[in-house]
């Protein structure tokens, strides 16, 4: 190990991370409440210690060098360990403190705040950072190690992930109350071939579950319309664009206020599960461990919460 590396300070690493995040010395200075010359001086001192340049300009854009990429990974690990230590010390003092970084697919975004509120009742000093994303974006976030825990439905099988199901995810068909299929108490599933059916993008967990379900029953959609999120599917159904197959949790507020009706297909709901996911071997913070234990041990409470939310 280079002896000079031992002289790095946490402040230098904080400034370095800010420059990496902002991709700009001036914006990093604003974020850190420093002058641009102070930021430049901190980076210059780091470069002297690693004996390599950390940034380079191509045109007017700032890029990380290979040395900076390695240093950034190490600094993220250092600060994660310090954050975990802080949480552990808080736990030893009798109170769990810290931030839970959570990413969820859009179809569970309506239920997630209720889960977090129930968790916070137990640990009132915990804070949250919640990101709503598509399934593809969530998978990328798992790859980039941006979150403590991810909540999603269809878990990719080709990645080293730990996961467990914690809640049923019923998929239902909904439409505007004026839709022709809403006039039938139990429409036949094959009638979907004659109407516009709103679909998520390929790769969505809800889309794959719906496609597999319809294929097994030899229902071939003639008028599909692709929209980009659960929210757009629901709003499309509210607007009268067509029938949407969506998570009951996502549709429940609109069913309650009468903007949507659930179509009475005998074969639905289609049941899948929501899963809590993280990278295999990931060093989990005390807050993340407590949240996972909450999801495992309080499934009855979570189910009641979901039923009350969906009622």
């Amino acid at each position: 190990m280079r002896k000079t590396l031992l002289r790095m300070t946490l402040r230098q690493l904080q400034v370095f991370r800010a420059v990496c995040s902002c991709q700009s010395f001036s914006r990093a200075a604003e974020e850190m409440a420093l002058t641009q010359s102070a930021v430049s001086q901190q980076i210059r001192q780091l470069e002297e210690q690693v004996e390599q340049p950390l940034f380079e300009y191509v045109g007017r854009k700032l890029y990380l060098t290979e040395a900076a990429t390695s240093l950034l990974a190490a600094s993220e690990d250092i600060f994660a360990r310090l954050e975990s230590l802080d949480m552990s010390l808080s736990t030893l003092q009798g109170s769990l403190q810290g931030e839970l970084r959570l990413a969820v697919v859009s179809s569970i975004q309506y239920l997630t705040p209720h889960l977090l509120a129930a968790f916070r009742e137990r640990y009132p000093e915990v804070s949250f950072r919640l990101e709503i994303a598509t399934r593809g974006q969530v998978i990328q976030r798992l790859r980039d190690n941006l979150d403590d825990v991810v909540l999603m439905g269809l878990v990719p099988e080709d990645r080293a992930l730990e996961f467990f199901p914690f809640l049923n995810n019923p998929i239902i068909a909904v439409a505007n109350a004026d839709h022709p299929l809403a006039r039938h108490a139990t429409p036949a599933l094959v009638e979907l071939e004659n109407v516009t059916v709103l679909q998520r993008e390929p790769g969505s967990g809800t889309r794959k579950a719906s496609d597999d379900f319809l294929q097994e029953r030899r229902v071939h959609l003639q008028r599909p319309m692709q929209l980009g999120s659960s929210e757009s599917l629901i709003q499309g159904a509210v607007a009268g664009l067509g029938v949407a197959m969506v998570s009951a949790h996502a549709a429940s507020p609109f069913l309650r206020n009468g903007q949507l009706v659930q179509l009475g297909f005998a074969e639905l709901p289609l049941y899948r599960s929501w899963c809590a996911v993280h990278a295999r071997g990931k060093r989990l913070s005390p807050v993340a461990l407590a949240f996972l234990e909450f999801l495992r041990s309080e499934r009855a409470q979570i189910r009641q919460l979901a039923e009350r939310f969906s009622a």
Side-chain angles (χ1 to χ4, degrees):
M1 176 185 292
R2 296 173 183 268
K3 293 182 179 180
T4 52
L5 293 183
L6 299 178
R7 296 201 296 268
M8 286 184 181
T9 67
L10 292 178
R11 185 60 169 172
Q12 288 173 337
L13 292 178
Q14 286 174 329
V15 172
F16 167 71
R17 292 170 76 208
V19 174
C20 293
S21 174
C22 298
Q23 294 187 317
S24 164
F25 278 63
S26 59
R27 287 198 294 271
E30 293 177 7
E31 183 177 288
M32 300 289 294
L34 297 171
T35 64
Q36 186 169 339
S37 62
V39 170
S40 298
Q41 182 181 6
Q42 297 277 17
I43 298 302
R44 186 163 55 251
Q45 290 172 352
L46 273 178
E47 289 179 329
E48 290 173 358
Q49 294 179 60
V50 301
E51 300 178 1
Q52 294 186 56
L54 295 174
F55 300 100
E56 59 184 2
Y57 279 97
V58 178
R60 300 180 64 180
K61 188 171 182 181
L62 189 69
Y63 289 89
L64 277 67
T65 65
E66 186 175 348
T69 301
S70 298
L71 181 59
L72 180 60
S75 65
E76 295 289 356
D77 184 60
I78 289 169
F79 283 101
R81 286 171 181 259
L82 289 173
E83 183 181 1
S84 180
L85 173 61
D86 185 55
M87 292 182 192
S88 297
L89 293 175
S90 298
T91 303
L92 290 174
Q93 292 175 343
S95 64
L96 184 65
Q97 299 177 5
E99 181 184 63
L100 176 68
R101 297 184 293 267
L102 186 68
V104 305
V105 292
S106 60
S107 49
I108 198 176
Q109 63 178 307
Y110 298 101
L111 181 60
T112 301
H114 299 270
L115 292 176
L116 298 182
F119 179 66
R120 197 172 185 183
E121 284 184 7
R122 184 173 301 183
Y123 302 108
E125 296 187 58
V126 169
S127 61
F128 307 106
R129 190 195 69 194
L130 176 64
E131 297 289 337
I132 312 297
T134 65
R135 180 173 179 269
Q137 290 168 337
V138 160
I139 292 173
Q140 183 62 49
R141 293 182 69 86
L142 280 168
R143 184 182 298 117
D144 295 339
N145 196 29
L146 296 179
D147 309 289
D148 297 316
V149 180
V150 161
L151 303 184
M152 63 189 305
L154 184 65
V155 180
E157 299 178 354
D158 59 343
R159 305 191 184 280
L161 301 173
E162 298 283 350
F163 66 94
F164 63 89
F166 67 90
L167 180 66
N168 278 337
N169 172 31
I171 297 174
I172 61 175
V174 298
N176 184 292
D178 294 329
H179 194 279
L181 293 185
R183 301 169 193 159
H184 304 283
T186 55
L189 198 63
V190 71
E191 293 187 57
L192 289 176
E193 294 183 343
N194 303 316
V195 299
T196 299
V197 177
L198 311 179
Q199 295 184 309
R200 288 286 303 274
E201 74 285 356
S204 157
T206 302
R207 168 71 179 271
K208 186 176 188 310
S210 300
D211 283 351
D212 291 348
F213 168 76
L214 294 174
Q215 185 176 0
E216 288 172 3
R217 284 153 183 80
R218 294 182 172 81
V219 175
H220 305 288
L221 302 181
Q222 303 301 313
R223 295 162 57 186
M225 181 184 295
Q226 183 175 308
L227 301 177
S229 67
S230 293
E231 178 69 21
S232 60
L233 256 65
I234 289 170
Q235 291 299 332
V238 169
L241 286 178
V243 175
M245 292 184 65
V246 295
S247 167
H249 301 308
S252 60
F254 303 88
L255 295 170
R256 287 200 302 270
N257 65 23
Q259 290 181 282
L260 291 175
V261 295
Q262 180 175 344
L263 301 179
F265 294 110
E267 298 89 343
L268 295 174
L270 170 64
Y271 286 99
R272 292 294 183 267
S273 295
W274 292 118
C275 297
V277 188
H278 62 83
R280 185 173 301 155
K282 179 179 176 64
R283 186 182 295 107
L284 295 170
S285 70
V287 169
L289 288 171
F291 182 67
L292 291 175
E293 179 58 28
F294 169 75
L295 294 181
R296 284 192 184 95
S297 63
E298 301 299 331
R299 295 189 189 187
Q301 177 188 353
I302 293 170
R303 186 167 58 252
Q304 291 173 1
L305 178 66
E307 290 172 352
R308 184 167 66 249
F309 175 72
S310 301

